Each structure stands twice: as C-alpha cells, then as structure tokens.
Amino acid sequence: MQQPLVIEKRQFPGGCVMQLRGELTRASEHEILDGFAAEFASEVRYLVLDLTGITYINSGGMAVLIRFARTAKKAGMHTFAWGITPHYEKLFRMVGLTEWIMMYPNEFSVMQRIESL
C-alpha cells in the first residue's frame, strides 16, 4: 500500500526545513514544487530536507528531487539534506543528485554548515 507524501515546514533565520514523510515518487512532484513555490520567491537562502521519514524513493522521486534542487539553485538557494539511508545515499551519488543537494548525517551538522556560510 502506497504511503502518500506528507510535508511539514518550519522556518529558521534565512531558511526553511522541510520534513518529508512517506513515499517520494513522480506523483509527489506537484506537492513538492507547489508547496515550496513561496520559498523560491522569498528571502530563503537555505532549503533543508529532512528525509528521515521517507520510506521509498523510486526513479520518478529522484527526478523530482533533482528538479527541486535545480530550481532552488537557480533561485540562488543552497539545498541540504539529512536522514538519507546508505542505500539511497549511494543512488543519489550514482544519479548525480549530490551536485545539487549537500548531504549530511543529521540536522546539527547541516545547521553548523549553514552557520559557517
């Protein structure tokens, strides 16, 4: 049974953390891109993806993440992620997603990196 994607957002100075739960597939594209259109048009410089609640990512979901990260980069934002399983981390590297999204082991590491920028 497919688990729908649920997105929760919380702001921090200069950025937004987006907690994703469920399955990330091509069907999630509108939820992700439409849900973050406000961030793309705002003063947000850092987009942070919490992927600890993601149970499944297929090739369509990878394409959605690539499109999301490329759109953010074009808008002048930096995209970070944590909570990626070793399996998906390997896939992210294979498909080149790490060119667009910086991966870290946890939220603390991401926030430390953001503070240093």
Side-chain angles (χ1 to χ4, degrees):
M1 181 174 185
Q2 184 175 358
Q3 296 176 333
L5 184 68
V6 177
I7 302 169
E8 293 180 18
K9 298 189 284 186
R10 63 182 157 89
Q11 300 291 130
F12 65 90
C16 180
V17 174
M18 296 161 254
Q19 182 181 24
L20 283 67
R21 291 191 320 265
E23 296 183 4
L24 187 54
T25 64
R26 174 67 75 192
S28 312
E29 183 171 25
H30 293 294
E31 294 164 71
I32 290 177
L33 297 177
D34 294 346
F36 305 123
E39 274 69 56
F40 292 143
S42 70
E43 297 297 317
V44 171
R45 291 186 51 207
Y46 309 108
L47 293 172
V48 182
L49 302 174
D50 174 357
L51 302 176
T52 55
I54 292 294
T55 57
Y56 175 72
I57 305 173
N58 66 12
S59 60
M62 290 282 188
V64 169
L65 282 177
I66 291 169
R67 184 167 175 216
F68 171 79
R70 290 178 66 192
T71 301
K73 181 120 177 143
K74 286 179 185 177
M77 299 178 199
H78 300 278
T79 305
F80 302 86
W82 85 83
I84 303 156
T85 66
H87 169 74
Y88 287 123
E89 183 175 343
K90 182 178 177 181
L91 290 176
F92 282 18
R93 291 184 194 289
M94 287 172 52
V95 300
L97 190 54
T98 54
E99 292 181 36
W100 307 102
I101 298 177
M102 293 174 266
M103 297 185 304
Y104 288 85
N106 54 47
E107 182 176 10
F108 180 76
S109 300
V110 171
M111 294 306 169
Q112 278 191 315
R113 177 64 179 135
I114 289 172
E115 287 176 13
S116 73
L117 294 176

